[in-house]
């Protein structure tokens, strides 16, 4: 049975956008994670929960995807609604129609929009002109849906987020940005190890530090992977060259030498540490096969939780 507090949070979330984690309070994020766990347990038990019956989610993709498309499309279906895949090449966007016009038009057709795109400014422009909830499926700056699933996974395996240390090893990219903000909001400690010239955006680091001042989270950006991984509960990495950076791959491989998560690096973490990766992974580059395919890897539990976390998000925003 829903409490008055639950109903109050639900009311605050209905109709909101989900563009970045920093727009949400600790209480709101924990509410979403609790809802994600409830929906997962009901799904595993074979129960049908359809709060979005008759609702439609439009899904705009300027970047291709496996996990984002399948998890959102499956998730809206399981919630009783319908998902429509909208490739930017197939929309009038591909022929010059503006994001603002597209947002206004789609607002009259569907009940929510998920966008996976390159520029975060593009997402902000769309959301600023839409009258329906807009969800960030990924931009070059943030990947909040992935981190929502990551936090759910850590909660499942560790039972808490505060007093947990995550070490992120690799590129200071959209994953590093969202993980920092997510850690700061939930009170999780985080050490980031990045090569010179690949640090996270300084403004986002400062934002995370400002949030951490209120939650007790300890955040640091280092250049030594072993120092970051020392005594960590979670080791996390991502590809060295993200989508759109293929031309930099060879140069990045040289610059990231020494930042591979392998058994030597993993060995300085806690004995019961878990390995996480947002996928897809390049075995032999950012992570060795024996780590990602080892017993302490939880990458496929993470991937599955994209479905449940995003169901909780859609149910909250679109109901």
């Amino acid at each position: 049975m829903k409490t008055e507090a639950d109903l109050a949070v639900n009311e605050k979330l209905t109709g909101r956008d989900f563009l970045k984690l920093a727009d949400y309070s600790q209480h709101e994020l924990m509410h979403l994670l609790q809802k994600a766990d409830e929906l997962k347990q009901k799904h595993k038990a074979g129960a049908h929960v359809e709060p979005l019956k008759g609702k439609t989610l439009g899904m705009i993709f300027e970047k291709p995807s496996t996990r984002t498309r399948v998890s959102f499309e499956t998730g809206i279906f399981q919630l009783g609604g319908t998902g429509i895949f909208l490739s930017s090449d197939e929309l009038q966007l591909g022929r010059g129609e503006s994001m603002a016009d597209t947002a206004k038009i789609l607002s009259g057709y569907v009940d929510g929009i998920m966008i996976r795109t390159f520029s975060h400014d593009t997402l902000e422009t769309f959301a600023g002109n839409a009258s329906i909830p807009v969800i960030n499926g990924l931009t070059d700056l943030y990947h909040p849906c992935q981190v929502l699933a990551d936090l759910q996974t850590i909660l499942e395996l560790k039972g808490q987020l505060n007093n947990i240390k995550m070490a992120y090893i690799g590129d200071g990219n959209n994953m590093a940005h969202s993980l920092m903000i997510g850690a700061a909001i939930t009170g999780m400690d985080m050490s980031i190890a990045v090569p010179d010239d690949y640090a996270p955006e300084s403004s986002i680091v400062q934002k995370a530090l400002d949030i951490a001042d209120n939650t007790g989270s300890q955040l640091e950006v280092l250049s030594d992977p072993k120092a970051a991984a020392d005594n960590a509960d979670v080791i996390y990495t991502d590809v060295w060259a993200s989508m759109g950076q293929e031309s930099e791959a060879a140069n990045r491989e040289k610059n990231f030498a020494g930042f591979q998560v392998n058994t030597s690096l993993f060995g300085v973490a806690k004995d019961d540490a878990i390995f996480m990766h947002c996928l897809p992974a390049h075995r032999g580059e950012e992570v060795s096969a024996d780590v990602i395919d080892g017993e302490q890897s939880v990458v496929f539990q993470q991937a599955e939780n994209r479905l449940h976390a995003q169901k909780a998000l859609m149910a909250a925003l679109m109901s």
Side-chain angles (χ1 to χ4, degrees), residues 13-304:
L13 294 177
T14 300
R16 293 259 299 270
D17 295 329
F18 188 73
L19 307 185
K20 59 185 186 296
L21 292 171
D23 296 333
Y24 282 69
S25 69
Q26 183 182 90
H27 186 56
E28 289 166 343
L29 281 186
M30 295 308 295
H31 177 83
L32 288 171
L33 293 173
Q34 180 184 5
K35 185 67 175 176
D37 182 64
E38 291 173 3
L39 288 170
K40 183 175 182 177
Q41 298 310 316
K42 288 177 180 178
H43 177 71
K44 297 292 185 184
H48 296 287
V49 181
E50 299 186 331
L52 300 184
K53 192 169 184 178
K55 302 272 188 175
T56 302
L57 176 75
M59 303 179 296
I60 298 177
F61 285 86
E62 291 192 322
K63 279 188 174 185
S65 167
T66 298
R67 281 153 292 278
T68 299
R69 178 177 178 179
V70 176
S71 57
F72 269 106
E73 198 162 339
T74 301
I76 189 69
F77 173 78
Q78 291 181 0
L79 292 171
T82 299
I84 301 176
F85 174 77
L86 302 167
S87 168
S88 60
D89 293 335
E90 297 169 354
L91 295 170
Q92 294 298 334
L93 277 170
R95 299 177 62 193
E97 186 165 63
S98 71
M99 268 289 176
D101 286 356
T102 301
K104 292 170 184 175
I105 291 162
L106 292 180
S107 293
Y109 295 151
V110 300
D111 302 285
I113 287 284
M114 184 283 299
I115 306 181
R116 182 178 169 91
T117 187
F118 289 90
S119 168
H120 194 77
D121 288 342
T122 298
L123 177 74
E124 294 277 3
T125 297
F126 189 98
N129 286 276
S131 57
I132 54 176
V134 176
I135 297 171
N136 180 0
L138 175 140
T139 66
D140 287 348
L141 205 58
Y142 294 110
H143 198 355
C145 287
Q146 176 65 55
V147 173
L148 201 59
D150 295 339
L151 295 174
Q152 180 185 358
T153 306
I154 296 168
L155 265 178
E156 287 175 341
L157 295 166
K158 298 297 182 181
Q160 61 187 35
L161 294 175
N162 58 321
N163 298 319
I164 293 293
K165 177 186 175 181
M166 172 186 286
Y168 175 88
I169 314 296
D171 188 19
N173 59 11
N174 52 3
M175 279 308 312
H177 293 160
S178 285
L179 284 167
M180 266 194 304
I181 298 294
I185 293 172
T186 58
M188 185 164 56
D189 296 334
M190 187 171 178
S191 294
I192 299 175
V194 293
D196 293 339
D197 301 324
Y198 293 94
E201 294 273 352
S202 59
S203 60
I204 297 176
V205 174
Q206 188 58 57
K207 178 64 175 177
L209 289 170
D210 290 344
I211 296 170
D213 284 342
N214 295 318
T215 62
S217 173
Q218 299 295 312
L219 302 176
E220 57 182 356
V221 179
L222 309 171
S223 58
D224 182 350
K226 285 200 171 181
D230 183 49
N231 208 37
D233 299 279
V234 180
I235 303 287
Y236 201 119
T237 192
D238 189 11
V239 293
W240 291 339
S242 297
M243 196 178 301
Q245 298 173 334
E246 288 81 4
S247 63
E248 304 175 28
N251 192 46
R252 281 173 170 262
E253 190 168 348
K254 293 177 185 177
N255 293 335
F256 281 81
F259 283 78
Q260 183 187 81
V261 178
N262 49 35
T263 52
S264 175
L265 181 61
F266 201 76
V268 306
K270 289 182 180 177
D271 290 343
D272 64 347
I274 57 175
F275 173 75
M276 304 183 80
H277 193 304
C278 53
L279 301 181
H282 297 160
R283 288 167 174 79
E285 293 184 16
E286 75 275 4
V287 60
S288 60
D290 52 0
V291 170
I292 193 170
D293 298 321
E295 292 182 357
Q296 288 167 271
S297 173
V298 299
V299 297
F300 298 113
Q301 184 171 340
Q302 267 180 279
E304 180 189 339

